[in-house]
């Protein structure tokens, strides 16, 4: 199926973008849309023959230069495209003559740009011209172009000129000095050097002509070496011209010109190069493709957004990152923002981890620049630039120059105040470490960035003695409409999160790489007093929110600002800041982009404070209507799409997703000419995977809980996690899909739980039928089958949900041994009797019971929970099928033979590993574990989640539990409850058994039927 794009003359197929009409008004934005590249460079979709209004550009990643006094920018490199065709004296160009037919295609599958035209010259000669070009993904230094020329209705003289243009400009400024140029046996070459950064470039080109007898001549006009030929053309005779170009810079090799010449001399023909390029793209798409069925526009547009990121991702260079506008335009002058780590990185992290490694290593290489910025502002450690280039120094322009000659210049405060990037970068590093387990890189590079950037926070916060709290004053938050604010929720919580992880990383280094820990202590002047200061900040940082409603105040005093109703300003075609003005916008409760909601999104995956479903709903209701989502920032719609999907707002989710998806294809913000919206493209990937695919990252890898948009009949993709590939093939009827291959035990560090921020778990627990600690009901509630009057015949039980510990296996002993080892190390009395109180209790609550009133900091508590979990996992690795409790395997097999679905409902975050070690993974249809829901037992959430995965209603489900909290949760869920163990512990269950030994499904069903019948008889009386 094909879908026409709105007013852009586009047709979308699964893999190909087709433009059916040339529109000179959209020339520059289309140049962006048709960008090609290979991670080393990007070339805009400018015409080979040129156009008076074009903005041609080739950007090589990392090639920056200064415009004196004003700014640093990514340099427009010499243009390799020029190929001029002259027909009987008339130069082929689209601003003259007549276009009789026009077709331009971008083939994403092989990174190939194609253009086919029929053109009538001013003299009346009609000619067919076909162009195609690619930047080789197989060899980043190779570029190739092919042109086919076919006269339609004439014989005549045709001249072809293939050149390198050594005079490229960055919108009026030429960064290049001419050094030399010349010719070789293969063709022509050019040598250039940037004026200030002194980067040398070498480019070489050769031309091959087939289909006619023609010789090549070389012209070496200064800065414009050219290969040309003239031949007698015959009607309907096709001549093919192939131009192959090589390029190197002194960033990667000392002698770029000889390197380019040698490479050119060794290259095979065009067809062979194209085949290698296609094979390279096949490998990339094997890993990164997303297949959507049922939505033809999304099918192509998702792939298009991925393509634009893939051609910008550095495959072979860890000293560069991806600019906000990728390598496709002059916007933001090629600078790198938080966009890369927060929005673009996840695509690479989960499909191209080598590129993710390079993106983050760039931040390590640029650490000296961040240190210089911190020192400049009078702070310690590393203060990362809001906009960075090659050195990591701040390159955000100080002023925005108005196009109006009489307009006032606008001060850009982001360089001074938008400091949350200092935590955003560690956020990306932490996620890379969790997803890859790359300990070597972490200790060599990542840890230094996290620790040095954390030192900055220690010097940036201010202590308010009257409140006994730490503040971060004078900042710009993620919402950039408010330019001088105090205690921005996003900034404060991200700083706190960063410090929590810095402590964890330091402790890990001391444990695993003590020499590196000592080295960094000395290098960064990282003292025990500094780390104690971090812990104090974690415990006392200001964060404004209402524990009863979970509403978070975006900045200090935000609720006192004047409220706004955005609907009153519709219809509009510009941002609210453009309508209100900068000064007035600061006084309104209007957001450029998500701030509190952005924070919730970043904390969503690990369920760190302040994320929970109630907080999301409350803050969505407040902040979404106040966010300028259409014209504020392109970063917002994808995030709103994911969160709306979480909240079950499928219509809103899809609307915002499409707004993000088509931002460049439809130029819906009117600035596509400046370059691809890279952050939006990354947000699109996240919206599909984490939003519609519902991917959650568990100890054993990614798990899908899909909620596909209406009309989507299939969603298929791959994710890479800790060295393993996981394939997902999701369809609307599926509730959840687990990973498709076995995975090693993967450790995920516990989430932080700051005592001054997070209310106690009991405040968030879902109300259940029996409150914690209250007496068991004398008669447990009976699930209500469709026809209780015939309970014996209609007992509609279709699934069992088993707890693990004490039901199928005795991991309680392993937990006990783990807690005992921890208690012994801490000198705390602990025995088996004390361990009984921990049955069915969460890890944190268990530790609190062990510690009693002993004073420990939050960081110490987190460390002890992580240590105990480490001991437990070590013990768990020794488990075998022999550790199944008596009767367990026989009962599971009997249920499966009876067609009963089997689920696991365990609060353990290690449940999947236990199941694998026990050898029963093939007997389990669904798993709900400690990562599946927010609220633990006795809230019913875990069992309701398991039933949903099984596709069952609560009354169709039987829960088998050995803990009072588990029985209580089952009853609150409206399910049948079978308790294993003494009646004083599980007596609230419908049926109480000593264990599963000797239990038969027929006998158990009879007991449940009898209970249902007795209940029905009692009701009828």
């Amino acid at each position: 199926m094909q879908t026409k794009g709105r007013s852009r003359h586009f047709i979308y197929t699964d893999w190909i973008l087709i433009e059916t009409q040339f529109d000179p008004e959209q020339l520059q934005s289309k140049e962006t849309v048709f960008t090609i590249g290979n991670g080393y460079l990007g070339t805009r979709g400018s015409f080979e023959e040129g156009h008076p209004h074009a903005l041609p550009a080739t950007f090589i990643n990392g090639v920056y230069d200064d415009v004196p006094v004003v700014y640093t920018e990514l340099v427009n490199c010499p243009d390799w495209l020029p190929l001029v065709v002259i027909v009987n004296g008339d130069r082929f160009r689209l601003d003259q003559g007549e276009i009789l037919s026009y077709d331009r295609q971008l083939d994403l599958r092989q990174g190939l740009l194609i253009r086919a035209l029929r053109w009538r010259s001013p003299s009346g000669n009609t000619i067919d011209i076909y162009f195609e070009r690619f930047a080789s993904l197989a060899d980043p230094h190779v570029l190739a172009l092919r042109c086919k020329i076919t006269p339609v209705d004439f014989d005549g003289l045709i001249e072809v000129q293939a050149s390198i243009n050594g005079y490229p400009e960055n919108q009026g400024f030429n960064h290049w000095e001419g050094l030399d140029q010349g010719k070789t046996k293969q063709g022509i070459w050019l040598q250039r050097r940037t004026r200030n950064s002194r980067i040398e470039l070498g480019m070489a080109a050769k031309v091959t002509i087939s289909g006619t007898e023609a010789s090549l001549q070389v012209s070496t006009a200064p800065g414009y070496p050219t290969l040309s030929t003239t031949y007698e053309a015959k009607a309907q005779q096709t001549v093919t011209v192939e131009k192959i170009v090589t390029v190197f810079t002194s960033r990667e090799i000392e002698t770029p010109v000889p390197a380019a010449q040698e490479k050119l001399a060794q290259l095979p023909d065009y067809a062979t190069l194209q085949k290698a390029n296609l094979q390279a793209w096949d490998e990339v798409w094997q890993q990164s493709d997303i297949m959507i069925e049922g939505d033809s526009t999304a099918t192509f547009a998702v792939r298009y957004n991925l393509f634009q990121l893939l051609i910008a991702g550095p495959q072979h260079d860890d000293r560069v990152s991806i600019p906000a506008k990728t390598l496709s335009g002059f916007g933001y002058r090629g600078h790198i923002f938080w966009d890369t780590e927060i929005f673009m990185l996840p695509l690479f992290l989960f499909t191209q981890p080598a590129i993710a490694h390079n993106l983050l290593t760039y931040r390590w290489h640029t650490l000296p620049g961040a240190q210089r910025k911190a020192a400049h502002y009078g702070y310690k450690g590393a203060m990362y630039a809001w906009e960075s280039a090659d050195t990591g120094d701040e390159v955000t322009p100080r002023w925005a120059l108005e196009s109006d000659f009489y307009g006032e210049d606008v001060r850009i405060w982001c360089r001074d105040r938008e400091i949350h990037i200092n935590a955003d970068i560690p956020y990306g590093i932490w996620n890379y470490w969790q997803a890859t387990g790359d300990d070597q890189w972490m200790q060599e590079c990542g840890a230094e960035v996290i620790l040095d950037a954390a030192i900055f926070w220690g010097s940036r916060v201010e202590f308010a003695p009257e409140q006994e709290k730490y503040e971060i004053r004078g900042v710009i938050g993620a919402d950039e409409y408010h330019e001088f604010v105090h205690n921005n929720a996003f900034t404060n919580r991200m700083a706190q999160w960063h410090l929590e992880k810095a402590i964890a990383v330091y402790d890990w280094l001391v444990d695993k790489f003590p020499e590196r820990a000592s080295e960094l202590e000395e290098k960064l002047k990282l003292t025990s007093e500094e780390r104690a200061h971090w812990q104090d900040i974690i415990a006392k940082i200001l964060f404004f929110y209402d524990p009863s409603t979970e509403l978070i105040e975006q900045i200090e005093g935000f609720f006192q600002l004047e409220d706004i109703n955005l609907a009153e300003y519709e219809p509009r075609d510009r941002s609210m800041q453009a309508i209100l003005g900068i000064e007035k916008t600061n006084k309104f409760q209007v957001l450029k982009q998500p701030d509190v909601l952005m924070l919730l999104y970043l904390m969503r995956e690990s369920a760190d404070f302040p994320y929970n479903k109630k907080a999301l709903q409350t803050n969505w209701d407040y902040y979404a209507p106040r966010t300028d989502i259409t014209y504020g920032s392109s970063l917002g719609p994808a995030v709103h799409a994911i969160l709306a999907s979480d909240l079950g707002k499928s219509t809103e989710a899809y609307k915002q997703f499409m707004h993000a998806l088509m931002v460049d294809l439809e130029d819906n913000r009117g600035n596509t000419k400046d370059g691809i919206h890279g952050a939006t493209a990354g947000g699109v990937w996240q919206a599909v995977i984490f939003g519609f695919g519902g991917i959650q990252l568990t100890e054993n890898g990614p798990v899908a809980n899909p909620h596909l948009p209406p009309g989507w009949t299939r969603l298929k993709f791959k994710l890479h996690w800790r060295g393993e590939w996981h394939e997902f093939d999701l369809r609307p009827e599926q509730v959840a899909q687990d990973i498709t291959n076995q995975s090693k035990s993967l450790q995920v560090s516990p989430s932080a739980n700051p005592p001054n921020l997070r209310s106690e778990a009991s405040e968030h627990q879902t109300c259940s039928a029996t409150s914690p600690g209250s007496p068991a009901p004398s008669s447990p509630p009976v699930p209500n089958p469709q026809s209780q009057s015939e309970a014996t015949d209609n007992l509609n039980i279709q699934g069992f949900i088993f707890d693990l510990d004490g039901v199928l296996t005795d991991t309680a002993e392993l937990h006990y041994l783990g807690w005992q080892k921890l208690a012994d190390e801490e000198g705390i009395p602990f025995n088996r009797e004390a361990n009984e109180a921990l049955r069915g209790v969460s890890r944190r609550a268990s530790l609190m019971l062990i510690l009693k009133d002993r004073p420990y900091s939050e960081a110490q508590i987190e460390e002890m929970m992580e240590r105990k979990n480490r001991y437990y996992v070590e013990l768990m690795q020794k488990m075998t099928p022999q550790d199944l409790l008596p009767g367990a395997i026989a009962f599971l097999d009997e249920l499966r033979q009876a067609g009963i679905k089997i689920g696991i409902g365990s609060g353990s975050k290690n449940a999947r590993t236990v199941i694998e070690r026990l050898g029963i993974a093939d007997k389990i249809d669904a798993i709900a574990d400690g990562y599946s829901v927010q609220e633990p037992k006795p809230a019913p959430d875990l069992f309701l989640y398991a039933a949903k995965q099984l596709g069952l209603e609560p009354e169709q489900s039987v829960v088998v539990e050995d803990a009072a909290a588990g029985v209580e949760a089952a009853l609150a869920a409206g399910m049948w409850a079978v308790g294993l163990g003494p009646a004083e512990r599980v007596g609230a269950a419908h049926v109480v058994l000593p264990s599963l030994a000797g239990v038969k499904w027929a006998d158990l069903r009879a007991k449940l039927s009898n209970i249902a019948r007795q209940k029905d008889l009692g009701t009828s009386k």
Side-chain angles (χ1 to χ4, degrees):
M1 183 180 291
Q2 298 179 342
T3 305
K4 273 205 177 268
R6 185 182 64 202
S7 72
R8 301 280 280 170
H9 311 297
F10 282 160
I11 293 173
Y12 310 124
T13 71
D14 284 356
W15 285 97
I16 299 174
L17 173 65
I18 304 171
E19 182 187 26
T20 58
Q21 182 177 326
F22 173 59
D23 184 349
E25 296 298 316
Q26 297 180 2
L27 176 69
Q28 294 179 6
S29 69
K30 296 285 187 65
E31 287 177 330
T32 295
V33 168
F34 286 102
T35 294
I36 61 170
N38 57 16
Y40 173 70
L41 56 74
T43 296
R44 285 169 59 81
S46 306
F47 297 147
E48 290 82 354
E49 71 277 8
H51 193 281
H53 303 299
L55 278 178
T58 290
F59 299 105
I60 297 177
N61 209 344
V63 177
Y64 288 92
D65 194 40
D66 296 334
V67 177
V69 182
V70 188
Y71 41 71
T72 299
E73 65 184 358
L74 195 62
V75 173
N76 187 4
C77 294
D79 187 3
W80 64 279
L81 290 179
L83 196 145
V84 172
V85 178
I86 300 172
V87 180
N88 278 333
D90 290 328
R91 177 172 172 170
F92 164 66
R93 48 193 293 178
L94 296 191
D95 62 321
Q96 294 183 6
E98 184 181 359
I99 302 172
L100 302 178
S101 67
Y102 177 95
D103 181 281
R104 179 160 54 164
Q105 300 184 13
L106 177 60
D107 185 341
L108 306 180
R109 194 191 295 273
Q110 52 184 325
L112 189 66
L113 181 59
I114 299 169
R115 184 165 53 114
L117 310 97
R118 174 164 289 188
W119 179 75
R120 180 174 293 141
S121 72
S123 302
N125 296 313
T126 304
I127 191 168
D128 287 340
I129 301 185
Y130 169 93
F131 293 98
E132 69 177 36
R133 66 180 185 242
F134 62 91
S136 176
L137 199 66
D139 187 332
H141 301 283
V142 175
L143 308 163
L145 184 160
R146 173 185 276 167
C147 177
K148 295 183 178 182
I149 304 165
T150 308
V152 175
D153 55 8
F154 72 95
D155 297 342
L157 203 62
I158 291 181
E159 182 180 357
V160 179
Q161 301 172 357
S163 310
I164 300 173
N165 177 7
Y167 298 102
E169 291 187 349
N170 280 63
Q171 297 171 304
F173 189 86
N174 183 357
H175 283 279
W176 297 96
E177 296 175 342
L179 295 181
D180 203 356
Q181 65 187 66
K183 62 180 179 178
T184 65
K185 286 184 179 180
Q186 284 73 41
I188 53 177
W189 57 271
L190 178 75
Q191 184 182 26
R192 283 287 191 263
R193 184 172 61 204
T194 54
R195 298 181 184 278
N196 296 289
S197 57
R198 316 305 284 173
I199 297 172
E200 187 179 321
L201 176 143
M203 191 175 278
K206 66 178 179 181
V207 170
T208 304
I209 300 173
S210 59
T212 189
E213 292 292 328
S215 60
L216 287 167
Q217 293 80 42
V218 176
S219 167
T220 54
Y224 211 91
T226 301
L227 290 163
S228 62
T229 189
T230 303
Y231 66 93
E232 288 290 341
K234 303 294 183 184
Q236 302 301 317
Q237 179 187 14
T238 298
V239 171
T240 300
V241 180
E242 294 171 346
K243 177 183 179 183
I244 298 173
V245 180
T246 56
V247 58
F248 287 85
T249 76
S250 57
R251 291 188 70 258
E252 62 269 7
I253 196 165
E254 287 188 13
T255 53
V257 169
Q261 293 172 343
E262 290 168 14
K263 170 73 73 173
L264 190 67
Q266 296 167 3
L267 289 178
D269 61 12
Y270 182 96
T272 304
L273 292 174
Q274 188 175 22
K275 182 178 179 181
N277 175 63
L278 176 58
Q279 289 174 342
W281 271 110
D282 280 345
E283 292 178 12
V284 168
W285 286 119
Q286 279 292 322
Q287 298 173 344
S288 301
D289 184 31
I290 293 176
M291 185 181 77
I292 297 168
E293 293 182 357
D295 186 338
S296 57
T297 299
T299 299
F300 171 80
V302 166
R303 284 174 172 151
Y304 176 82
N305 280 272
L306 302 189
F307 174 82
Q308 288 298 338
L309 287 182
L310 291 168
I311 64 174
Q315 295 190 52
H316 308 288
D317 191 346
D318 64 10
R319 298 164 299 154
V320 298
S321 186
I322 303 179
K325 293 294 186 182
T326 67
L327 301 175
S328 61
F330 296 94
Y332 296 121
R333 307 196 180 278
H335 295 170
I336 291 101
F337 293 70
W338 72 314
D339 303 33
T340 308
E341 283 75 20
I342 299 301
F343 292 91
M344 304 182 210
L345 180 67
L347 161 67
F348 299 103
L349 189 59
F350 293 104
T351 72
Q352 303 286 333
I355 294 178
H357 169 278
N358 290 343
L359 294 175
L360 293 171
T361 306
Y362 160 81
R363 294 297 191 180
W364 179 73
H365 283 303
T366 55
L367 195 54
Q371 293 164 344
R372 288 190 289 270
K373 181 178 178 181
H376 171 79
Y377 283 93
Y379 301 120
K380 297 179 182 178
M383 180 184 184
Y384 273 93
W386 179 243
E387 300 180 30
S388 66
D390 51 345
T391 67
D393 291 283
E394 183 62 74
V395 292
T396 306
R398 192 175 297 275
W399 297 93
L401 308 180
E402 288 287 328
S403 55
D404 179 1
F405 186 77
Y406 297 101
E408 292 291 328
D409 295 339
V410 177
R411 179 72 158 86
I412 301 176
W413 289 108
C414 299
R415 60 182 290 136
D416 310 279
R417 301 173 183 169
E418 197 152 0
I419 59 176
H420 62 77
I421 191 171
N422 229 56
D424 303 332
I425 291 167
Y427 183 89
I429 290 172
W430 179 268
N431 287 339
Y432 170 80
W433 188 33
Q434 297 301 303
T436 63
D438 190 348
D439 289 355
Q440 190 64 29
W441 180 87
M442 190 63 175
Q443 65 96 5
E444 289 177 354
C445 303
E448 185 173 2
V449 173
I450 288 177
L451 294 173
D452 207 13
I455 291 171
F456 163 78
W457 291 119
S459 65
R460 178 62 173 81
V461 299
E462 303 172 43
F463 188 70
E466 67 280 1
Q467 297 171 293
E468 294 190 348
K469 295 285 186 181
Y470 287 95
E471 301 183 275
I472 304 179
R473 301 179 65 80
V475 302
I476 296 175
D479 160 34
E480 296 172 340
Y481 274 173
H482 300 86
E483 294 189 323
F484 188 81
V485 302
H486 307 312
N487 297 307
N488 166 245
F490 184 92
T491 304
N492 284 24
R493 175 60 184 122
M494 287 298 290
Q496 183 193 47
W497 177 94
H498 179 186
L499 293 176
E500 292 161 2
K501 296 303 185 258
I503 291 171
V505 167
Y506 173 80
D507 291 343
W508 171 79
L509 275 180
V510 170
D511 181 43
K512 300 293 186 183
F513 300 94
E515 290 184 4
R516 180 59 171 161
S518 298
E519 180 186 337
L520 289 178
E521 284 176 352
E522 182 177 348
K523 182 178 181 180
L524 305 179
K525 299 179 175 59
L526 180 55
T527 64
S528 57
E529 290 79 11
E530 182 75 46
R531 297 193 298 278
H533 184 42
W534 293 352
Q535 291 173 338
D536 201 38
I537 295 168
I538 291 169
K540 297 176 182 175
I541 198 164
L542 267 174
F543 191 87
F544 297 102
Y545 91 116
D546 183 342
S548 63
T549 64
E550 305 279 0
L551 182 62
I552 300 165
E553 189 169 19
Q554 178 177 301
I555 56 176
E556 185 176 322
F558 185 81
F559 295 150
Q560 281 70 57
L561 298 178
E562 188 174 344
D563 206 356
I564 194 167
N565 182 359
L566 294 181
E568 295 177 357
Y569 294 85
E570 298 294 347
R572 60 189 173 94
D573 58 3
R574 54 193 176 135
S575 72
M576 289 306 301
Q577 190 178 69
I579 293 171
L580 299 173
I582 294 175
E583 187 174 337
K584 195 172 181 182
T585 302
N586 271 288
K587 299 177 181 178
F588 277 91
Q589 291 187 38
V590 60
L591 287 67
K592 178 181 178 182
Q593 60 198 23
D595 193 301
V596 168
L597 292 178
M598 188 71 207
L599 173 62
L600 291 172
Y601 174 58
L602 294 189
M603 296 295 119
R604 166 184 181 267
E605 185 55 53
S606 55
D608 272 355
F609 177 87
Y611 182 87
N612 61 58
K613 284 298 178 67
K614 180 182 177 184
L616 176 57
Q617 184 68 66
T618 298
N619 287 281
W620 172 276
D621 291 344
Y622 192 87
Y623 287 106
R626 293 167 171 82
T627 303
D628 187 4
I629 202 69
T630 50
Y631 292 102
S633 168
S634 63
L635 278 60
V639 174
H640 271 212
I642 297 168
L643 297 180
S645 191
D646 282 357
L647 292 169
K649 300 177 180 292
S650 58
T651 301
E652 178 69 11
Y654 187 73
K655 173 186 173 184
Q656 296 303 337
F657 168 70
M658 291 301 293
H659 192 70
L661 185 67
M662 307 304 290
V663 65
D664 290 313
L665 288 170
E666 292 185 349
D667 195 12
N668 58 34
R669 288 178 180 267
N671 60 356
T672 296
K673 65 181 177 60
D674 297 329
I676 291 293
H677 291 77
T680 304
V684 163
W685 184 90
Q686 294 184 58
V688 174
I689 303 301
F690 298 131
F692 301 141
I695 287 295
Q696 295 176 327
L697 302 173
T698 74
E699 287 179 323
N700 287 349
V703 177
N705 298 283
H707 22 93
L708 305 186
W712 286 24
T713 57
R714 191 180 186 191
L715 173 61
K716 186 179 180 182
F717 55 88
K718 280 184 181 179
L719 297 178
H720 191 264
W721 176 267
R722 295 279 180 109
E724 302 278 349
W725 282 102
H726 306 284
E727 296 188 47
F728 295 88
D729 195 345
L730 311 177
R731 301 171 192 271
E733 64 272 12
Q734 291 171 298
V735 177
Q737 179 176 317
D738 197 355
I739 52 178
T740 57
N741 62 322
Q742 297 299 312
S743 206
K744 297 178 182 177
S745 177
L746 308 175
Q747 295 311 301
V748 179
S749 298
S751 303
N753 188 12
N756 65 308
L757 298 184
R758 185 175 245 169
S759 52
E760 292 300 317
S762 60
E763 294 182 16
H764 303 295
Q765 289 176 352
T766 306
C767 293
S768 54
T770 310
S771 300
S774 61
S778 56
S779 177
V782 175
N784 184 25
Q786 290 180 345
S787 177
Q788 285 287 354
S789 60
E790 297 176 326
T792 303
D793 297 329
N794 291 317
L795 188 67
N796 190 24
I797 292 174
Q798 297 185 24
F800 269 64
I801 302 170
F802 293 87
D803 188 15
L804 272 176
D805 187 17
V807 175
L808 297 180
T809 188
D810 192 10
T811 56
E813 179 66 14
L814 305 186
H815 284 293
Y816 165 72
L817 293 173
W819 286 125
Q820 184 68 70
K821 185 174 181 180
L822 177 73
D824 290 344
E825 290 171 345
E826 296 297 322
I828 300 172
F830 185 74
N831 54 31
R832 291 187 182 277
E833 183 179 350
N835 188 63
E836 277 301 299
L838 310 186
R839 188 181 290 270
V841 179
S842 70
R843 187 188 308 166
R844 185 181 184 86
S846 295
L847 180 59
M848 294 299 102
L849 288 171
I850 293 171
L851 296 180
K852 294 184 168 45
D853 57 353
R854 293 177 179 84
Y856 283 94
S857 70
E858 178 60 23
Q860 290 172 313
I861 291 170
E862 290 285 342
E863 186 279 329
M864 284 188 283
M865 287 196 298
E866 191 166 356
R867 195 184 342 154
K868 182 268 173 181
N869 189 56
R870 188 165 66 248
Y871 297 154
Y872 172 73
V873 171
E874 290 170 357
L875 292 164
M876 188 174 58
Q877 298 306 316
K878 300 176 183 178
M879 294 183 72
T880 71
Q882 299 300 315
D883 291 301
L884 282 162
L885 290 173
I889 197 73
F891 191 55
L892 290 175
D893 287 340
E894 185 183 1
L895 290 176
R896 291 192 72 81
Q897 290 172 10
I900 302 293
K901 295 180 179 179
I902 299 173
I904 297 295
S906 169
S908 172
K909 293 183 177 180
N910 298 297
R912 296 175 187 276
T913 303
V914 172
I915 291 165
E916 290 173 12
R917 300 300 301 172
L918 293 174
I920 59 172
D922 60 340
K923 303 181 189 299
I924 307 301
D925 300 303
I927 301 173
D929 61 12
Y931 290 99
S932 300
V933 297
Q934 298 293 317
E935 306 301 341
K937 307 168 191 177
D941 303 28
L942 191 71
F943 294 139
L944 290 171
Y945 180 91
K948 185 177 180 182
Q949 285 187 302
L950 292 170
L952 303 179
E953 296 299 322
E955 63 266 21
Q956 297 174 316
S957 309
V958 177
V959 169
V960 184
E961 260 283 358
D962 77 316
V967 171
E968 185 179 338
L971 299 178
M975 300 178 179
W976 295 97
V978 174
L980 301 184
E984 57 264 31
R985 191 172 75 218
V986 293
H990 296 101
V991 175
V992 177
L993 302 170
S995 70
L996 289 177
V999 174
K1000 300 293 184 183
W1001 166 226
D1003 296 337
L1004 183 56
R1005 189 182 191 284
K1007 290 183 180 182
L1008 297 175
S1009 295
N1010 186 52
I1011 294 170
R1013 187 184 303 108
Q1014 293 300 321
K1015 182 69 175 179
D1016 183 61
L1017 290 173
T1019 303
S1020 65
K1021 292 177 181 178

